[in-house]
Amino acid sequence: MAETKPLVGIIMGSPSDLPAMEACGKQLEEFGIPYEVKVASAHRKPLEVQAWAESAEKRGLRVIIAAAGKAAHLGGVVAAYTPLPVICVPMKTGDLGGLDSLLSMVQMPSGVPVACVAINGAKNAAILALQMLGTGDDGRRAQAAAYKKQMAEA
């Protein structure tokens, strides 16, 4: 029976991030990994972000992918409220091309780590989520190995 309960949570700070994050959802679908999507800004809706992050593990999520631009505090805020691994996707911005987003994500304080992919690296976030799921799931680990093998043969 196929899994239907979301294992990955994708959260983004703005509806404008949806087009860039489509590659993430598409890749997760290709892997057969169920996911949920939430749009909530760490700055405009902090209590909503907190509630979503605090309940993520109880809802069955195992990995969180957080996409944001500019100040890009969303991933760090989420990581502060959950023991789950958080993968950050810095969004390309018109101001500094996404460098502002990237630096906001990788400069996390000690004790609140996040993983970070390239600017607009939505597809890589999905692949990293598969690999994280594979640390405790032989089937997912084999799936990641097969994906890497397929890339090498292309």
Side-chain angles (χ1 to χ4, degrees):
M1 184 175 208
E3 295 178 78
T4 56
K5 190 175 183 181
L7 296 175
V8 174
I10 300 172
I11 186 167
M12 58 200 83
S14 168
S16 65
D17 299 328
L18 282 165
M21 290 305 292
E22 284 180 9
C24 183
K26 183 176 184 228
Q27 189 63 61
L28 289 171
E29 289 168 9
E30 288 179 19
F31 290 144
I33 297 172
Y35 65 94
E36 66 179 43
V37 175
K38 174 78 172 169
V39 177
S41 166
H43 301 105
R44 294 183 186 103
K45 296 183 178 183
L47 295 178
E48 189 174 327
V49 170
Q50 178 182 358
W52 184 86
E54 286 180 337
S55 66
E57 185 178 20
K58 187 175 182 178
R59 293 192 321 275
L61 297 184
R62 295 293 167 253
V63 178
I64 294 173
I65 298 171
K70 298 193 182 254
H73 295 122
L74 183 61
V77 169
V78 168
Y81 290 113
T82 183
L84 300 177
V86 177
I87 303 167
C88 291
V89 181
M91 293 285 95
K92 186 173 184 178
T93 63
D95 300 326
L96 298 172
L99 187 57
D100 47 349
S101 310
L102 175 67
L103 293 175
S104 293
M105 292 174 172
V106 298
Q107 293 297 339
M108 291 299 300
S110 180
V112 190
V114 298
C116 190
V117 296
I119 296 167
N120 279 10
K123 182 176 179 179
N124 270 356
I127 296 165
L128 184 54
L130 170 67
Q131 291 176 211
M132 287 178 173
L133 291 170
T135 63
D137 181 326
D138 292 341
R140 294 287 183 199
R141 190 166 45 258
Q143 189 178 17
Y147 179 80
K148 302 254 179 175
K149 183 178 179 188
Q150 178 187 10
M151 283 191 342
E153 294 171 351

